[in-house]
Structure formats: structure tokens, C-alpha cells
Amino acid sequence: MEKERHWKRGTLFLRINFDVNDLHAMDCSIICCNKSHDPIFLPNGVNVSLGRGPLTRITDKKCSRKQVQLKANYAKKEVKITQLGKNGSSVGGQTLNKGDSVYVGPGGTFYILGKNYQYFVHFSTSLSGKGNDTEPKAKRARYHDNLSDSDGDNLTPEDLEDIEREFGGEMVGKILKGNKHQDLCRNLCEGTWEDVEDKLLIFTSEGIMSRSKVAGFDLDGTLIATKSGKVFSPSITDWRILYPEIILTLKELWNGGFKLYIQKKQLSTAALKSKIENVVAQLKIPIQVFVAPGLNIYRKPVIGMWKHLVEQVDATFCSNRKHSFNVILEITKQTNDGVPVDLKQSFFVGDAAGRAENWAPGKRKDFSCSDRTFAANIGIDFFTPEEFFLKQNPAPFEWPKFIPNNLNHNAPLLNPPNAKPLSEIQEVIVLVGYPASGKTTFVRNHLAPQGYVHVSRDHLGTWQKCVSACQEALLFGKSVVIDNTSPTKEVRRRYIDCAKQAKIQIRCFLFDVSLEHALHNNKVREMTNKEASYKHVGYSAFVKYKSSYEEPACNEGFNEIVKVNFLPKFKDEKTKYLYMQFLY
């Protein structure tokens, strides 16, 4: 028997009793998971309509005769699935309505009707250039007849995966002949998905082990990049391993006793599950993948993912608005199978590192510093992909502008320090500051208990109603505090006029909180507030305040300008622990 191994573009070919030059074309087919009929061949670039009929042996009348349209792209190794029938198909848990399209790569699965009639996509190298599915079967049979039981002795896991793609699992089983280690390696792409209260998705590949050393990696921009060169992938097949060194380095880490995990902070579509599985299959090592679909404690740089990795937590959920946010209540026991994590030997690698424009020639500014701050929150070492995989020197970077640990908890509440929050005579106080800068808390703690009438658009709705409420309270001899952001002279003028008409003093309390500090406060509030009356504050409100802000001055008509320092007080240790982390 003449037998040779040939490598072409990273794919293994076995040559047995025929010339390797025959191996030059590609086939694509969809295979019925129930094995109720033969594979259906998909020519390159040709629209193929499938549905109820003899080809699929589907008789369900809910399934149209032209239920889906499939179009294979051999160059990209993907199949475009377009819904034609009125009753939806599904891909990766995503229901397709009429006219919807998704792309599925090698090994991806889809259902022709709802969650019935499942198929998976199979790309293989054809043994002839004719692009049919008959001659390859005959030649593949010759493979089956001539491969001996001993052929698996020197095959790598990569070889076995290529053989499985070419000839199916039955042939791999014959070659492996009970070799459990190789069988494990061959199935690394397999695993299970876990959904943690709709807040965290976890993929655990087979063979994962709990270890004291943990190596964490961001996914996009760290382990993979788009093949198209676009910033965001147009399809789930538009990805490639970022650097050739990555797979070997990850294998060395695994062999060196590290537990490996990947974090992805955003879930765009249910089809991402298929992408994750394909990435893990190409990495070829046991690995866990954590995906945070929304804004909650599992979203970097908050360390909810990490705590879930190493600890078991009890949690409560606030669901009084569009997005629910998770709050840790009590840590009950350690997980990781009882293996404590060694922070000194663990680390995280990511591309969101706070590097400026042109940190390397032609390189863009990092979109954030969240990967670096995530590692800092945990207390583990951090590396960029270039530092870790390519051994480049560290590039200059900047930490976020707001650093929670730099807060001065001993500062005076007011500046100047001799200023008093209360007045012995009737007055109006106008608060000025970003959303989430502490204005309402200040009113509740210092002014409302002393009889100041609390006027706020959050309660009244319009500035006209706020002015009317202010005038009415002044008529009854009450002092008033205006609890709005009041960024401009025009807005503040309304209440200055009220004070002049009542012939009383008016002071301005300016909350000395930066944009970054206010955003930090808001994020903590978003994740912990459980009040039914709470209203979500979006990023645009902070931008609008900053763009319209005019520094308050006494010549506007104020008797005094008082600055208020932010001195946080926490209802419990868990809130304090969350607040003192980097959140951006």
C-alpha cells in the first residue's frame, strides 16, 4: 500500500492508491441529523430551495415546499440560509421569519421548521473537481477499505479532526481503536452551554479541569480578528486566529497546569454560540467561554464572571425596568472543584488596554481600558496580546480618569469649609451637577429633614411645574431646594427670579464630580437600585450636560457659590466592594 501525508493550507490529506493531484476541489452538503435520507449536495454559489418533499422526506404540511433557500460559498466556507416559508426555521436558537437570512459555517446546525428536522453543514475536500456527491463516495470507500487499525499510532489530534471531517466519525473510531486520550482530544470542540439567569452564558468544552492557575483571555481583538478586516464581523464565519503563535502558546499553558477561559462581554445574536464552538474547536484545548449578554455584574471590568469562575454565589435580581441587573448578596462556598485559585500565578490578556492613538505605527487608540482594569479589580497580572503572544515591550497607556481608590474620604463636605448646608433664614438653593453626582442623596440627608421643600423634575415632569412649586412654597414661607442638573444660566435664571420676587437669598450648590466619576456612580446605581420608581439614565444625559454646562457665578444673582465634595457612604460591604472597583 502506498501511503503519504500531504499538508496543504494546514489541512491533512491521506494519499492511498491514487494521485494526490486529484485532491483539488471542495464539496458542501447538509446532513440530516436523524439520518433519514442521504446528504444533500450544495453547489458553490447556487441557490437551492428545500422543504416538504421526497428529497427531505418531510411530510409535515406546516413546512412549505420551498421552506428555506440555501446558498453555499466555498471560498468563505459558509452557507447562507434564507427563510422562504411562512412558518419559521431556526438557527442557534434564533427564529427566522420570512425574508430573514443567517450564515452558518462548517459544523453549524439549523432546523428547517421550528425545532424540527435538524441538519448540519459539512464542508469537505472533494476527490474530484466535478463537484458532485457520487464519485467522492466511491473513492472514500477505497479509503475505508485500505486504512489499517494501526494508522492512528502517530496521528495528532489535528490529524484526527481532519480525518473526521473527510470520512466521518466511524472511520476515526476505527483508527483510534480505543485510545481514550486521542478520543478526548478529537472531541474538544464538544461541550455544554449553561445559562445563568439570562445574565451569563458559559460554554465548557470537554476535558476542562479545575486548576489553581487561571489564564483568562478576551476574545475579539485578542484571540481572533475578522477575516474581512472590518471592525465588526458581518457574519459568524468572519473570523480568524489573530496570531499564529496563539494556538501553540495556549497549548503550552494548558500543559503547564493552567485552566484557560475566554471572556466575551456582549452577545449580538444566538448564532454566536456556533461561532464560539467553532473557535474552541480550532484552538483544540479544553477551555471555558463566558459571555455576558447585557449590562450587569458579569460585564467587564466588573468581576462577576471571575467570581462565578472561582466561587458559588447567591444572587437577587431587580427586574423593574427594561434591563435587569444582578446584585451579589452572599458568597456561600468556593467552587472550581475545591481548588483555590492562585492570584499570583493567574493573569488576563486583552486588547482593551488604554493605549493611545499610534501606540504602535498605524495602530488605533484602544476603545477602552476595560481589560486592564478588569485584571486590576481582581488583583492579577495583565498583558496585551502583543506583549503575551509576540513578546513585544509594553506600550504606553493611561488608566481611566476616575480611580475609585483615589477618592478622599476625609475631605470636608463643603468648600469653602466654613460654608453651612442650612440657612437660618428662608432661602432657595439651586443644585448644579451631573446626573448621579449625589444631589438627591444630599437633599435627603441634609435639607429635606430640616423642612426644605424638595423640587425636582424627576417628580414633577416639567420645568414649568418646578417653577410653580417653588413659587408656591416661598409664598408659605418655606425654603426650597431645586434638585435638577441646572447646567445653564438660562435654567438657573428661572429660580433666581423666584428668589428676587420673594426678596430672599439664593445659593448655588455645585457638585464637584467629573463626568467619569458621575458615570461610575450611575453604573453602581444601575446595578444595585431596586426601587420601583427608579428611572434609567442613559449616557446621552451625561453628554448633554457636559456640552451645555456653564460655570455658575455670583454675578448671575447668587448670594453664594458652594462646592459639594462627593463623600460616599455605603449601605453594606457588598455595595462598597462593587463601588471601589473600576467600572470602565
Side-chain angles (χ1 to χ4, degrees):
M1 179 192 306
E2 181 185 9
K3 179 176 67 174
E4 291 184 21
R5 253 185 241 175
H6 293 268
W7 288 93
K8 182 180 180 182
R9 296 178 184 174
T11 302
L12 172 72
F13 300 104
L14 295 179
R15 190 182 82 175
I16 304 174
N17 293 337
F18 56 86
D19 196 291
V20 72
N21 289 327
D22 287 337
L23 298 169
H24 62 278
M26 179 178 289
D27 280 340
C28 177
S29 58
I30 59 167
I31 300 174
C32 177
C33 293
N34 293 331
K35 300 180 180 179
S36 62
H37 58 80
D38 290 337
I40 299 173
F41 173 67
L42 301 180
N44 184 35
V46 177
N47 290 325
V48 177
S49 297
L50 291 179
R52 186 175 80 251
L55 189 61
T56 61
R57 298 186 182 179
I58 297 174
T59 58
D60 190 336
K61 292 187 177 180
K62 293 181 180 179
C63 181
S64 303
R65 294 192 179 275
K66 292 185 177 181
Q67 175 72 1
V68 293
Q69 178 180 278
L70 310 179
K71 186 177 182 179
N73 186 324
Y74 286 16
K76 294 184 177 181
K77 295 189 76 173
E78 65 183 16
V79 174
K80 180 181 181 181
I81 303 175
T82 303
Q83 177 66 27
L84 301 179
K86 65 179 182 178
N87 294 318
S89 306
S90 61
V91 178
Q94 175 185 355
T95 299
L96 301 184
N97 298 315
K98 190 171 183 178
D100 290 348
S101 296
V102 295
Y103 294 85
V104 176
T109 62
F110 67 95
Y111 294 89
I112 282 188
L113 178 66
K115 290 191 176 181
N116 297 315
Y117 315 112
Q118 186 179 22
Y119 289 78
F120 73 89
V121 174
H122 179 64
F123 279 90
S124 65
T125 302
S126 172
L127 301 180
S128 82
K130 297 179 181 180
N132 60 63
D133 61 342
T134 55
E135 184 175 349
K137 289 182 181 177
K139 292 192 176 181
R140 286 173 185 164
R142 296 212 297 272
Y143 274 124
H144 289 228
D145 293 338
N146 288 291
L147 279 172
S148 69
D149 289 343
S150 63
D151 286 337
D153 293 345
N154 298 314
L155 294 179
T156 67
E158 294 89 344
D159 297 342
L160 294 171
E161 290 182 5
D162 288 324
I163 292 171
E164 181 181 25
R165 283 193 292 269
E166 293 293 328
F167 312 111
E170 184 178 350
M171 174 55 64
V172 174
K174 178 181 178 182
I175 294 174
L176 289 174
K177 196 181 179 181
N179 187 324
K180 294 182 179 179
H181 172 71
Q182 287 188 325
D183 190 48
L184 170 64
C185 294
R186 179 177 60 86
N187 288 303
L188 287 178
C189 58
E190 298 179 1
T192 58
W193 282 96
E194 176 189 358
D195 188 339
V196 182
E197 299 289 345
D198 294 326
K199 302 294 181 295
L200 180 66
L201 293 174
I202 304 173
F203 178 76
T204 303
S205 62
E206 289 192 6
I208 198 72
M209 296 172 61
S210 297
R211 291 170 166 180
S212 62
K213 297 183 293 184
V214 176
F217 299 87
D218 183 48
L219 181 61
D220 297 308
T222 299
L223 296 181
I224 65 173
T226 61
K227 289 189 293 186
S228 64
K230 298 179 180 179
V231 177
F232 301 105
S233 301
S235 72
I236 63 171
T237 60
D238 180 33
W239 65 271
R240 60 177 176 83
I241 299 297
L242 181 60
Y243 300 125
E245 294 85 353
I246 286 177
I247 293 180
L248 177 60
T249 302
L250 295 184
K251 287 182 179 179
E252 289 174 348
L253 288 172
W254 172 256
N255 293 332
F258 279 88
K259 179 178 180 178
L260 308 180
Y261 83 105
I262 296 172
Q263 290 197 354
K264 182 171 178 61
K265 67 180 181 181
Q266 186 172 352
L267 182 67
S268 55
T269 65
L272 182 60
K273 286 185 177 181
S274 176
K275 176 181 177 179
I276 293 296
E277 292 170 7
N278 289 334
V279 171
V280 172
Q282 188 162 341
L283 294 177
K284 300 180 176 68
I285 47 173
I287 203 162
Q288 278 186 314
V289 183
F290 290 69
V291 182
L295 295 171
N296 50 56
I297 63 162
Y298 299 115
R299 188 79 172 266
K300 289 183 303 181
V302 185
I303 63 172
M305 284 184 178
W306 176 268
K307 294 186 75 67
H308 190 90
L309 175 70
V310 301
E311 298 170 335
Q312 177 67 42
V313 300
D314 284 337
T316 186
F317 296 89
C318 171
S319 57
N320 58 5
R321 52 192 180 274
K322 183 177 180 181
H323 298 289
S324 297
F325 297 91
N326 179 285
V327 183
I328 294 179
L329 285 184
E330 180 182 2
I331 297 172
T332 57
K333 65 177 181 178
Q334 235 182 22
T335 55
N336 199 33
D337 293 333
V339 179
V341 173
D342 187 343
L343 296 182
K344 292 183 179 179
Q345 297 193 74
S346 301
F347 59 87
F348 190 78
V349 180
D351 64 314
R355 294 168 293 183
E357 189 81 18
N358 292 318
W359 58 265
K363 292 291 187 178
R364 298 176 179 174
K365 176 182 178 180
D366 289 342
F367 67 91
S368 79
C369 195
S370 59
D371 289 333
R372 190 183 298 274
T373 53
F374 173 75
N377 285 339
I378 298 169
I380 58 178
D381 288 337
F382 172 80
F383 305 94
T384 65
E386 293 74 21
E387 294 166 15
F388 190 77
F389 296 114
L390 306 182
K391 310 305 178 186
Q392 294 181 4
N393 292 327
F397 71 94
E398 291 185 0
W399 289 103
K401 292 182 179 179
F402 175 69
I403 301 176
N405 282 321
N406 288 351
L407 272 179
N408 182 4
H409 296 263
N410 297 318
L413 177 63
L414 303 178
N415 276 327
N418 61 353
K420 296 181 180 180
L422 303 174
S423 174
E424 296 179 356
I425 60 176
Q426 187 184 16
E427 68 170 344
V428 174
I429 294 178
V430 175
L431 307 185
V432 176
Y434 280 103
S437 59
K439 299 185 300 299
T440 301
T441 300
F442 182 85
V443 173
R444 289 175 178 174
N445 291 341
H446 300 284
L447 302 178
Q450 304 303 319
Y452 280 68
V453 176
H454 186 188
V455 175
S456 171
R457 287 190 65 174
D458 288 342
H459 304 141
L460 300 177
T462 66
W463 68 263
Q464 290 90 344
K465 290 181 179 180
C466 289
V467 170
S468 296
C470 178
Q471 292 171 337
E472 182 178 354
L474 294 179
L475 286 174
F476 284 94
K478 298 286 189 179
S479 290
V480 179
V481 55
I482 307 300
D483 180 14
N484 299 322
T485 58
S486 301
T488 66
K489 294 178 181 179
E490 179 184 357
V491 170
R492 298 190 289 262
R493 169 59 58 186
R494 298 162 185 161
Y495 305 103
I496 293 172
D497 290 343
C498 288
K500 284 184 177 180
Q501 291 170 8
K503 298 181 180 181
I504 62 172
Q505 74 170 10
I506 180 166
R507 294 190 293 167
C508 174
F509 280 28
L510 175 61
F511 284 72
D512 194 11
V513 171
S514 66
L515 169 63
E516 294 76 18
H517 188 175
L519 288 170
H520 180 93
N521 291 348
N522 189 58
K523 194 164 186 179
V524 173
R525 186 169 65 180
E526 293 276 273
M527 290 191 286
T528 61
N529 197 295
K530 296 182 290 183
E531 297 178 5
S533 60
Y534 175 75
K535 296 180 181 180
H536 170 72
V537 181
Y539 180 73
S540 61
F542 296 85
V543 175
K544 183 178 180 181
Y545 178 91
K546 182 178 180 180
S547 63
S548 62
Y549 176 72
E550 296 173 300
E551 182 82 17
C554 287
N555 60 18
E556 293 179 41
F558 290 114
N559 297 97
E560 184 181 23
I561 306 291
V562 178
K563 286 192 175 181
V564 182
N565 291 316
F566 187 86
L567 302 178
K569 293 184 179 180
F570 306 103
K571 60 183 179 181
D572 51 49
E573 286 299 313
K574 298 172 187 65
T575 305
K576 180 179 179 180
Y577 180 74
L578 175 63
Y579 189 92
M580 299 312 294
Q581 295 181 44
F582 287 105
L583 300 182
Y584 287 92

